[in-house]
Amino acid sequence: MTVSLSGVHVLAEDLDAALAFYRDTLGLTVRNQVAQGGFRWITLVTDSQPEIAIVLSQPHAGRSKEDGDALAALLAKGELQMLQLRSDDLDATFDKIAAAPGAEVLQEPVSQPWGARDIAVRDPAGNLVRIEQG
């Protein structure tokens, strides 16, 4: 039996701002966009790992109002789980993110004590994104 990662969900109130960050700034490719029940979600992939998707969706999509409100509150506080990515050129990636509208730099490129060289940013929705040199 083999189990592998197929996707990661990232919440965003403003899907257009999130799409601009992940597609235009980070270079991911849109696989599909689906609208249903007044909400939509966007699936993005990378050229190097097209089998692993990042799915952008809204906190209230497919949830009760109470659960959506709770997730939206956590998202607004920046308290949801972080997304970890890898870049083959961390400095160039950092420069693009630093110039991107809506992104917040939390940590410039630095070598960490555990061996990784990485950056930390918040995407336009407030999600913590760490990117390491790969």
Side-chain angles (χ1 to χ4, degrees), residues 6-22:
S6 67
V8 176
H9 285 255
V10 175
L11 295 177
E13 287 284 357
D14 183 346
L15 289 184
D16 293 323
L19 177 61
F21 178 77
Y22 289 98

